[in-house]
Amino acid sequence: MTLQRPPVNSLNLDLLKEMSKSLDEIAKNKSKAMILTSASPKVFSAGLDIMEMYKPDLKRVEEFWTTLQEVWFKLFGSNFITAAAINGHAPAGGCLLAMSCEYRVMTGGNFSIGLNETALGIVAPNWFMDTMTNTIPVREAEYALTTARMFNVEEALKVGLIDEVATDKDDAIAKCKGFIGKFDRIPALARSITKLKMRQAAIKRLQDGRREDLNEFLQFVQNPKIQKSLEMYIQSLKKKA
Amino acid sequence: MTLQRPPVNSLNLDLLKEMSKSLDEIAKNKSKAMILTSASPKVFSAGLDIMEMYKPDLKRVEEFWTTLQEVWFKLFGSNFITAAAINGHAPAGGCLLAMSCEYRVMTGGNFSIGLNETALGIVAPNWFMDTMTNTIPVREAEYALTTARMFNVEEALKVGLIDEVATDKDDAIAKCKGFIGKFDRIPALARSITKLKMRQAAIKRLQDGRREDLNEFLQFVQNPKIQKSLEMYIQSLKKKA
Amino acid sequence: MTLQRPPVNSLNLDLLKEMSKSLDEIAKNKSKAMILTSASPKVFSAGLDIMEMYKPDLKRVEEFWTTLQEVWFKLFGSNFITAAAINGHAPAGGCLLAMSCEYRVMTGGNFSIGLNETALGIVAPNWFMDTMTNTIPVREAEYALTTARMFNVEEALKVGLIDEVATDKDDAIAKCKGFIGKFDRIPALARSITKLKMRQAAIKRLQDGRREDLNEFLQFVQNPKIQKSLEMYIQSLKKKA
């Protein structure tokens, strides 16, 4: 599955819907495995599209968040094997997608990865946190989440946020295939049940609190202070461009 | 406590009953500590005896699983100090026994340890998983459980699945005694309550779900696909022999 | 906030009340951050004052424990940034205070830190344990808590019980300020909500079990065996002095 929404694979409603549909198809085809990567040369995914949150239409923004939840359920809780070939920057939602996979290979270079929501004045929801503590130690997660830490490739490898470093995208995909090959002689059903049992607590937590999680997000995007800081952020991006 | 069921200490109903009784006696004697090891030169324990699961008598297999649960309660939740001198291979149930102790010393050499259930098409139950995440990080546990990873001694030491490496069985037992000696000046009651508080969540989880866990296992052994893969596995063992 | 109760900052009722009041003031002043350190040259804090537990007046000891719970809620669950400049020994309650902060810098030298309650025949309550597993891995916490392990500075750094080593108190405070400086461009509200979400499970656990936790402590201090071992410990201290 290749993310292809130039220039930086911002996750807007359309892209999330596409992803949700693709994940359904992969499941229906009884595919053995999926590798998630990006068509952009320098960005894996820039995360949630801020324009979906800025001066939002309530109905659309509700669908936006619900679809993001669905993508996570289908990716984090997939029956098939998932690996991320992270061939560029992966902040916020981009990092979430990568962490939702079972294995992460990142191309070396000047790229960074992390849940840096707080830098924009945003709070990562509980399931982002659960996905992170499924990957790195609690102590590292608290530090990273509060300080909006972006890990470079070496740091990400050291803390366990990624599993391997690759020289380029092809190498990253080859290494993901190497991971997938480990399951060649493992019965698929036992493998997938085992995975889901390990992830059950986090999945159940969002299932049980899905409506509450949506309400929290809706309140958040309707908060004038948040709108103000999004506006300032968007203007700073425009100046850069 | 020395496991002695040649050639590989497969955990059948009889051995589990013996272990359960021995653990009761150790508790009744108010023994300070217990070291778990094997009489076999190359195998700590090969894990659950597959013959208990193959074409099972329902009443016996129910007792088999219930007794395994009991052994775990008595070992993982013991008041006395527990250490494992792992003097050989420790796959699946063998690894579970070792992880249920408070300290693990493994003899160097060509031995390996891990919960490799998925390789046989089996799913480790929740309490196997809880015992593993009590020992190594969640991320490492998910990877190891899904890929049926067997750790060699160096890998096991690095990830924390074992605490020390020994030159041979005597050295392993000496090192276990070294661990036990750390408690010489620690009041026993405070020590054991502290241990049980740390393990309480995992113990309670199986206590609350004990019947459900048994039912899951009974359904599992009555599944024709599972019987088929057990049959194939047994035949592959016969060919080797 | 500087602990100043010579010679070793034992946490008695008066000091805990002072701390509770100071933490309220810091919160009311909307201070950005707080650094916790000690006025003593060699001890950060020796932990709970054993004299509060020895032959206790029931009303006072109840207030003592309730105030300790309050200090923990206000420190572990603070909105403002917290860092500990650990300029000396930090056993038991001293370690708890340090672990309740978000960052720990310890001055090098012959100092040690750890939850060594079991050495005195005391059991660390659940929230001490939760605070520790928020900082170091579960496996390390079980080992440390049962063996009453005191970590030297190098060991503490390696396991993650502290984050940095300093040459002296000034350097420790400077390094804490360095940590606090990481939040200069992070919106304060997003930061504090993120912190509290990460700590929510532990906070809720004590909130829900606060009365039960108090009762456990009251039973504990009324146990003749505990009084006996406290007496022996106090006499051994007198002999040393």
Coordinates of all heavy atoms in Angstrom, one line a residue, chain B residues 1-71:
Chain B
M1 N 13.8 -28.4 43.0 CA 12.8 -29.2 42.3 C 13.5 -29.6 40.9 O 13.7 -28.7 40.1 CB 11.5 -28.5 42.1 CG 10.4 -29.4 41.4 SD 8.7 -28.8 41.9 CE 8.4 -27.6 40.6
T2 N 13.7 -30.9 40.7 CA 14.3 -31.3 39.5 C 13.3 -32.1 38.6 O 12.7 -33.0 39.0 CB 15.5 -32.2 39.8 OG1 16.4 -31.5 40.6 CG2 16.2 -32.7 38.5
L3 N 13.1 -31.5 37.4 CA 12.2 -32.2 36.4 C 12.9 -33.5 35.9 O 14.0 -33.4 35.4 CB 11.9 -31.2 35.2 CG 11.2 -29.9 35.6 CD1 11.2 -29.0 34.4 CD2 9.8 -30.1 36.1
Q4 N 12.2 -34.6 36.1 CA 12.8 -35.8 35.7 C 11.8 -36.7 35.0 O 11.2 -37.6 35.6 CB 13.3 -36.5 37.0 CG 14.3 -37.6 36.8 CD 15.1 -37.9 38.0 OE1 14.8 -37.3 39.1 NE2 16.1 -38.7 37.9
R5 N 11.6 -36.4 33.8 CA 10.8 -37.3 32.9 C 11.5 -37.5 31.6 O 11.3 -36.7 30.6 CB 9.4 -36.8 32.7 CG 8.5 -37.7 31.9 CD 7.0 -37.2 31.8 NE 6.3 -38.1 30.9 CZ 5.8 -37.8 29.7 NH1 5.9 -36.6 29.3 NH2 5.3 -38.8 29.0
P6 N 12.4 -38.5 31.5 CA 13.2 -38.6 30.3 C 12.3 -38.9 29.1 O 11.2 -39.4 29.2 CB 14.1 -39.9 30.6 CG 14.0 -40.1 32.1 CD 12.7 -39.5 32.5
P7 N 12.8 -38.5 27.9 CA 14.1 -37.9 27.7 C 14.1 -36.4 27.8 O 15.1 -35.8 28.0 CB 14.4 -38.3 26.3 CG 13.1 -38.5 25.6 CD 12.1 -38.9 26.6
V8 N 12.9 -35.7 27.6 CA 12.9 -34.3 27.5 C 12.0 -33.5 28.4 O 11.6 -32.4 28.2 CB 12.6 -33.9 26.0 CG1 13.7 -34.4 25.1 CG2 11.2 -34.4 25.6
N9 N 11.6 -34.2 29.5 CA 10.7 -33.5 30.5 C 9.4 -32.9 29.8 O 9.0 -31.8 30.1 CB 11.4 -32.4 31.2 CG 12.5 -33.0 32.2 OD1 12.3 -34.1 32.8 ND2 13.6 -32.3 32.3
S10 N 8.8 -33.7 28.9 CA 7.5 -33.2 28.4 C 6.5 -33.2 29.5 O 6.5 -34.1 30.3 CB 7.0 -34.2 27.3 OG 7.8 -34.2 26.2
L11 N 5.8 -32.1 29.5 CA 4.8 -31.9 30.6 C 3.5 -32.6 30.3 O 2.6 -32.1 29.7 CB 4.6 -30.4 30.8 CG 5.8 -29.5 31.1 CD1 5.5 -28.0 30.9 CD2 6.4 -29.8 32.5
N12 N 3.4 -33.9 30.8 CA 2.1 -34.6 30.7 C 1.4 -34.4 32.0 O 1.8 -33.8 32.9 CB 2.4 -36.0 30.3 CG 3.0 -36.8 31.4 OD1 3.5 -36.3 32.4 ND2 3.0 -38.1 31.2
L13 N 0.2 -35.0 32.0 CA -0.6 -34.9 33.2 C 0.1 -35.4 34.5 O 0.0 -34.7 35.5 CB -2.0 -35.7 33.0 CG -2.9 -35.6 34.2 CD1 -3.3 -34.2 34.6 CD2 -4.2 -36.4 33.8
D14 N 0.8 -36.5 34.4 CA 1.4 -37.1 35.5 C 2.5 -36.1 36.1 O 2.6 -35.9 37.3 CB 2.0 -38.4 35.2 CG 1.0 -39.5 34.9 OD1 -0.2 -39.2 35.3 OD2 1.3 -40.5 34.2
L15 N 3.3 -35.6 35.2 CA 4.4 -34.7 35.6 C 3.8 -33.5 36.2 O 4.3 -33.0 37.3 CB 5.4 -34.4 34.4 CG 6.5 -33.5 34.7 CD1 7.3 -34.0 35.9 CD2 7.4 -33.3 33.5
L16 N 2.8 -32.9 35.6 CA 2.2 -31.7 36.1 C 1.6 -31.9 37.5 O 1.7 -31.1 38.4 CB 1.1 -31.2 35.2 CG 1.6 -30.6 33.9 CD1 0.5 -30.3 32.9 CD2 2.4 -29.3 34.2
K17 N 1.0 -33.1 37.7 CA 0.4 -33.4 39.0 C 1.5 -33.5 40.1 O 1.4 -33.0 41.2 CB -0.3 -34.8 39.0 CG -1.8 -34.7 38.5 CD -2.4 -36.1 38.6 CE -3.9 -36.1 38.3 NZ -4.4 -37.5 38.1
E18 N 2.6 -34.2 39.7 CA 3.8 -34.3 40.6 C 4.3 -32.9 40.9 O 4.6 -32.6 42.1 CB 4.9 -35.0 39.9 CG 4.8 -36.5 39.9 CD 4.6 -37.1 41.3 OE1 5.4 -36.6 42.2 OE2 3.7 -37.9 41.6
M19 N 4.4 -32.0 39.9 CA 4.9 -30.6 40.2 C 4.0 -29.9 41.1 O 4.4 -29.2 42.0 CB 5.0 -29.9 38.9 CG 6.1 -30.4 38.0 SD 6.2 -29.4 36.5 CE 6.9 -27.8 37.1
S20 N 2.7 -30.1 40.9 CA 1.7 -29.4 41.7 C 1.8 -29.8 43.2 O 1.8 -29.0 44.1 CB 0.3 -29.7 41.2 OG -0.7 -29.0 41.9
K21 N 2.0 -31.1 43.4 CA 2.2 -31.7 44.7 C 3.5 -31.2 45.4 O 3.5 -30.8 46.5 CB 2.1 -33.2 44.6 CG 1.5 -33.9 45.8 CD 1.1 -35.3 45.5 CE 2.3 -36.2 45.3 NZ 2.0 -37.6 45.0
S22 N 4.5 -31.2 44.6 CA 5.8 -30.7 45.1 C 5.7 -29.2 45.5 O 6.3 -28.8 46.6 CB 6.9 -30.9 44.0 OG 7.1 -32.2 43.7
L23 N 5.1 -28.4 44.7 CA 4.9 -27.0 45.0 C 4.1 -26.8 46.3 O 4.5 -25.9 47.1 CB 4.3 -26.3 43.8 CG 5.2 -26.1 42.6 CD1 4.4 -25.7 41.4 CD2 6.4 -25.1 42.9
D24 N 3.1 -27.6 46.5 CA 2.4 -27.6 47.8 C 3.3 -27.9 48.9 O 3.2 -27.3 50.0 CB 1.2 -28.6 47.7 CG 0.0 -28.1 46.9 OD1 0.0 -26.9 46.7 OD2 -0.8 -28.9 46.5
E25 N 4.1 -28.9 48.8 CA 4.9 -29.4 49.9 C 6.0 -28.3 50.2 O 6.2 -28.0 51.4 CB 5.7 -30.7 49.5 CG 4.8 -31.9 49.8 CD 5.3 -33.1 49.1 OE1 6.5 -33.2 48.8 OE2 4.5 -34.0 48.8
I26 N 6.5 -27.7 49.2 CA 7.5 -26.6 49.4 C 6.8 -25.5 50.2 O 7.4 -24.9 51.1 CB 8.1 -26.1 48.1 CG1 8.9 -27.2 47.4 CG2 9.0 -24.9 48.3 CD1 9.2 -26.9 45.9
A27 N 5.6 -25.2 49.8 CA 4.9 -24.1 50.5 C 4.6 -24.5 52.0 O 4.7 -23.7 52.9 CB 3.6 -23.8 49.8
K28 N 4.2 -25.8 52.2 CA 3.8 -26.2 53.5 C 5.0 -26.3 54.4 O 4.9 -26.0 55.6 CB 3.2 -27.6 53.4 CG 2.0 -27.8 54.4 CD 1.3 -29.1 54.1 CE 2.1 -30.3 54.4 NZ 1.4 -31.6 54.0
N29 N 6.2 -26.7 53.9 CA 7.4 -26.8 54.6 C 8.0 -25.4 55.0 O 9.0 -25.3 55.6 CB 8.5 -27.5 53.8 CG 8.2 -28.9 53.5 OD1 7.3 -29.5 54.2 ND2 8.9 -29.5 52.6
K30 N 7.3 -24.4 54.5 CA 7.8 -23.0 54.7 C 9.3 -22.9 54.2 O 10.1 -22.2 54.9 CB 7.7 -22.5 56.2 CG 6.3 -22.9 56.7 CD 5.7 -21.7 57.5 CE 4.3 -21.9 57.8 NZ 3.6 -20.8 58.4
S31 N 9.6 -23.6 53.2 CA 10.9 -23.4 52.6 C 11.1 -22.0 52.2 O 10.2 -21.3 51.8 CB 11.0 -24.3 51.4 OG 10.8 -25.7 51.7
K32 N 12.3 -21.6 52.2 CA 12.6 -20.2 51.9 C 12.6 -20.0 50.4 O 12.2 -19.0 49.8 CB 14.0 -19.8 52.4 CG 14.3 -18.4 52.3 CD 15.8 -18.0 52.6 CE 16.1 -16.7 52.1 NZ 17.5 -16.4 52.0
A33 N 13.2 -21.1 49.7 CA 13.4 -20.9 48.2 C 13.3 -22.2 47.5 O 13.5 -23.3 48.1 CB 14.7 -20.2 48.0
M34 N 13.2 -22.1 46.2 CA 13.1 -23.3 45.3 C 13.9 -23.0 44.1 O 13.8 -21.9 43.5 CB 11.7 -23.6 45.0 CG 11.5 -24.9 44.2 SD 11.5 -24.7 42.5 CE 10.0 -23.9 42.2
I35 N 14.8 -24.0 43.7 CA 15.5 -23.9 42.4 C 14.9 -24.9 41.5 O 14.9 -26.1 41.8 CB 17.0 -24.0 42.5 CG1 17.6 -22.9 43.4 CG2 17.7 -24.0 41.2 CD1 19.0 -23.0 43.8
L36 N 14.4 -24.5 40.3 CA 13.8 -25.4 39.3 C 14.9 -25.8 38.3 O 15.5 -24.9 37.7 CB 12.6 -24.7 38.7 CG 11.8 -25.6 37.6 CD1 11.2 -26.8 38.3 CD2 10.8 -24.7 36.9
T37 N 15.2 -27.1 38.1 CA 16.2 -27.5 37.1 C 15.7 -28.8 36.5 O 14.7 -29.3 36.8 CB 17.6 -27.5 37.7 OG1 18.5 -27.6 36.6 CG2 17.7 -28.6 38.7
S38 N 16.6 -29.4 35.7 CA 16.2 -30.6 34.9 C 17.3 -31.7 35.1 O 18.5 -31.4 35.2 CB 16.1 -30.2 33.4 OG 16.2 -31.4 32.6
A39 N 16.8 -32.9 35.1 CA 17.8 -34.0 35.2 C 18.3 -34.4 33.8 O 19.3 -35.1 33.7 CB 17.1 -35.2 35.8
S40 N 17.7 -33.9 32.8 CA 18.2 -34.2 31.4 C 19.4 -33.3 31.1 O 19.5 -32.2 31.5 CB 17.1 -33.9 30.4 OG 16.0 -34.7 30.6
P41 N 20.3 -33.9 30.4 CA 21.6 -33.1 30.1 C 21.4 -32.0 29.1 O 22.1 -31.0 29.1 CB 22.5 -34.2 29.6 CG 21.7 -35.3 29.0 CD 20.4 -35.3 29.8
K42 N 20.4 -32.1 28.2 CA 20.3 -31.1 27.2 C 19.0 -30.4 27.1 O 18.8 -29.5 26.3 CB 20.6 -31.8 25.8 CG 22.0 -32.2 25.6 CD 22.2 -32.7 24.2 CE 23.7 -33.0 23.9 NZ 23.9 -33.7 22.7
V43 N 18.0 -30.8 27.9 CA 16.7 -30.2 27.8 C 16.2 -29.8 29.2 O 16.2 -30.7 30.1 CB 15.7 -31.1 27.1 CG1 14.3 -30.5 27.0 CG2 16.1 -31.5 25.7
F44 N 15.8 -28.6 29.4 CA 15.2 -28.1 30.6 C 13.8 -28.7 30.7 O 13.5 -29.4 31.5 CB 15.2 -26.6 30.6 CG 14.5 -26.0 31.8 CD1 15.1 -26.1 33.1 CD2 13.3 -25.3 31.7 CE1 14.5 -25.5 34.2 CE2 12.7 -24.7 32.8 CZ 13.3 -24.9 34.1
S45 N 13.0 -28.3 29.7 CA 11.7 -29.0 29.5 C 11.3 -28.7 28.0 O 11.3 -27.5 27.6 CB 10.6 -28.5 30.4 OG 9.4 -28.9 30.0
A46 N 10.8 -29.7 27.4 CA 10.3 -29.5 26.0 C 8.9 -28.9 25.9 O 8.4 -28.7 24.8 CB 10.3 -30.9 25.2
G47 N 8.3 -28.6 27.1 CA 7.0 -28.0 27.1 C 5.9 -29.0 27.2 O 6.1 -30.2 27.6
L48 N 4.7 -28.6 26.9 CA 3.5 -29.5 27.1 C 3.7 -30.7 26.2 O 4.1 -30.6 25.1 CB 2.3 -28.7 26.7 CG 2.0 -27.5 27.5 CD1 0.6 -26.9 27.0 CD2 2.0 -27.7 29.0
D49 N 3.3 -31.9 26.8 CA 3.4 -33.1 26.0 C 2.3 -33.1 25.0 O 1.1 -33.1 25.3 CB 3.2 -34.3 27.0 CG 3.5 -35.6 26.3 OD1 3.4 -35.7 25.0 OD2 3.8 -36.6 27.0
I50 N 2.7 -33.1 23.7 CA 1.7 -33.0 22.6 C 0.8 -34.2 22.6 O -0.4 -34.1 22.1 CB 2.5 -32.9 21.3 CG1 1.9 -31.8 20.4 CG2 2.7 -34.1 20.6 CD1 2.8 -31.2 19.4
M51 N 1.2 -35.3 23.2 CA 0.4 -36.5 23.2 C -0.9 -36.3 24.1 O -1.9 -37.0 23.9 CB 1.1 -37.8 23.6 CG 2.3 -38.1 22.7 SD 1.9 -38.1 20.9 CE 0.7 -39.5 20.8
E52 N -0.8 -35.4 25.0 CA -2.0 -35.1 25.8 C -3.0 -34.3 25.0 O -4.2 -34.3 25.3 CB -1.6 -34.2 27.0 CG -0.7 -34.9 28.0 CD -1.5 -35.9 28.9 OE1 -2.7 -36.1 28.7 OE2 -0.8 -36.5 29.8
M53 N -2.6 -33.7 23.9 CA -3.5 -32.9 23.1 C -4.0 -33.7 21.8 O -5.0 -33.3 21.2 CB -2.8 -31.6 22.6 CG -2.4 -30.8 23.8 SD -1.7 -29.2 23.3 CE -0.1 -29.3 23.9
Y54 N -3.3 -34.7 21.5 CA -3.6 -35.4 20.2 C -4.6 -36.5 20.5 O -4.5 -37.3 21.4 CB -2.3 -36.1 19.7 CG -2.5 -36.8 18.4 CD1 -3.0 -36.2 17.3 CD2 -2.2 -38.2 18.3 CE1 -3.2 -36.9 16.1 CE2 -2.3 -38.9 17.1 CZ -2.9 -38.2 16.0 OH -3.1 -38.9 14.9
K55 N -5.7 -36.4 19.8 CA -6.9 -37.3 20.0 C -7.2 -37.5 21.5 O -7.2 -38.6 22.0 CB -6.6 -38.7 19.3 CG -6.5 -38.6 17.8 CD -6.4 -40.0 17.2 CE -6.3 -39.9 15.7 NZ -5.9 -41.2 15.1
P56 N -7.5 -36.4 22.1 CA -7.6 -36.5 23.6 C -8.9 -37.0 24.1 O -10.0 -36.9 23.4 CB -7.5 -35.0 24.0 CG -8.2 -34.3 22.8 CD -7.9 -35.1 21.6
D57 N -8.8 -37.7 25.3 CA -10.0 -38.0 26.0 C -10.4 -36.7 26.7 O -9.6 -36.1 27.4 CB -9.6 -39.1 27.1 CG -10.8 -39.2 28.1 OD1 -11.8 -39.8 27.7 OD2 -10.6 -38.8 29.2
L58 N -11.7 -36.3 26.6 CA -12.1 -34.9 27.0 C -11.9 -34.7 28.5 O -11.5 -33.7 29.0 CB -13.5 -34.7 26.7 CG -13.7 -33.8 25.4 CD1 -15.1 -33.3 25.3 CD2 -12.7 -32.6 25.4
K59 N -12.2 -35.8 29.3 CA -12.1 -35.6 30.7 C -10.6 -35.5 31.2 O -10.3 -34.6 32.0 CB -12.7 -36.8 31.4 CG -13.4 -36.5 32.7 CD -14.3 -37.6 33.2 CE -14.5 -37.3 34.7 NZ -15.3 -38.4 35.3
R60 N -9.8 -36.3 30.5 CA -8.3 -36.2 30.9 C -7.7 -34.9 30.4 O -6.9 -34.3 31.2 CB -7.6 -37.4 30.2 CG -6.1 -37.3 30.6 CD -5.3 -38.5 29.9 NE -3.9 -38.3 30.1 CZ -3.1 -38.9 31.0 NH1 -3.6 -39.8 31.7 NH2 -1.8 -38.6 31.0
V61 N -8.1 -34.4 29.2 CA -7.5 -33.2 28.7 C -7.9 -32.0 29.5 O -7.2 -31.0 29.7 CB -7.7 -33.0 27.2 CG1 -9.1 -32.5 26.9 CG2 -6.6 -32.1 26.6
E62 N -9.2 -32.1 30.1 CA -9.6 -31.0 31.0 C -8.8 -31.0 32.2 O -8.4 -29.9 32.7 CB -11.1 -31.2 31.3 CG -11.7 -30.1 32.2 CD -13.2 -30.2 32.3 OE1 -13.9 -30.6 31.4 OE2 -13.7 -29.7 33.3
E63 N -8.5 -32.2 32.8 CA -7.7 -32.2 34.0 C -6.3 -31.8 33.7 O -5.6 -31.1 34.5 CB -7.7 -33.7 34.5 CG -7.1 -33.8 35.9 CD -7.0 -35.2 36.4 OE1 -7.5 -36.1 35.7 OE2 -6.5 -35.4 37.6
F64 N -5.8 -32.1 32.5 CA -4.5 -31.7 32.1 C -4.3 -30.2 32.1 O -3.4 -29.7 32.7 CB -4.2 -32.3 30.7 CG -3.0 -31.7 30.0 CD1 -1.7 -32.1 30.4 CD2 -3.1 -30.9 28.9 CE1 -0.6 -31.6 29.8 CE2 -2.0 -30.4 28.3 CZ -0.7 -30.8 28.7
W65 N -5.3 -29.5 31.5 CA -5.2 -28.1 31.4 C -5.4 -27.4 32.8 O -4.7 -26.4 33.1 CB -6.2 -27.5 30.4 CG -5.9 -26.1 30.0 CD1 -6.6 -25.0 30.4 CD2 -4.8 -25.6 29.2 NE1 -6.0 -23.8 29.9 CE2 -4.9 -24.2 29.1 CE3 -3.8 -26.3 28.5 CZ2 -4.0 -23.4 28.4 CZ3 -2.9 -25.5 27.8 CH2 -3.0 -24.1 27.7
T66 N -6.4 -27.9 33.5 CA -6.6 -27.4 34.9 C -5.4 -27.5 35.8 O -5.1 -26.6 36.5 CB -7.8 -28.1 35.5 OG1 -8.9 -28.1 34.6 CG2 -8.2 -27.5 36.8
T67 N -4.7 -28.7 35.6 CA -3.5 -28.9 36.4 C -2.4 -27.9 36.0 O -1.6 -27.4 36.8 CB -3.0 -30.3 36.3 OG1 -4.1 -31.2 36.5 CG2 -1.9 -30.6 37.3
L68 N -2.3 -27.7 34.7 CA -1.3 -26.7 34.2 C -1.6 -25.3 34.8 O -0.6 -24.6 35.3 CB -1.3 -26.6 32.7 CG -0.3 -25.6 32.1 CD1 1.1 -26.0 32.4 CD2 -0.5 -25.5 30.6
Q69 N -2.8 -24.9 34.8 CA -3.2 -23.6 35.4 C -2.8 -23.6 36.9 O -2.2 -22.6 37.4 CB -4.7 -23.4 35.3 CG -5.3 -23.2 33.9 CD -6.8 -23.1 33.9 OE1 -7.4 -23.7 34.8 NE2 -7.4 -22.4 33.0
E70 N -3.0 -24.7 37.6 CA -2.7 -24.8 39.0 C -1.2 -24.7 39.3 O -0.7 -24.0 40.2 CB -3.2 -26.1 39.6 CG -4.5 -26.0 40.4 CD -5.1 -27.3 40.5 OE1 -4.4 -28.4 40.7 OE2 -6.4 -27.4 40.4
V71 N -0.4 -25.4 38.4 CA 1.0 -25.3 38.6 C 1.5 -23.9 38.4 O 2.3 -23.4 39.1 CB 1.7 -26.3 37.5 CG1 3.2 -25.9 37.4 CG2 1.5 -27.7 38.0

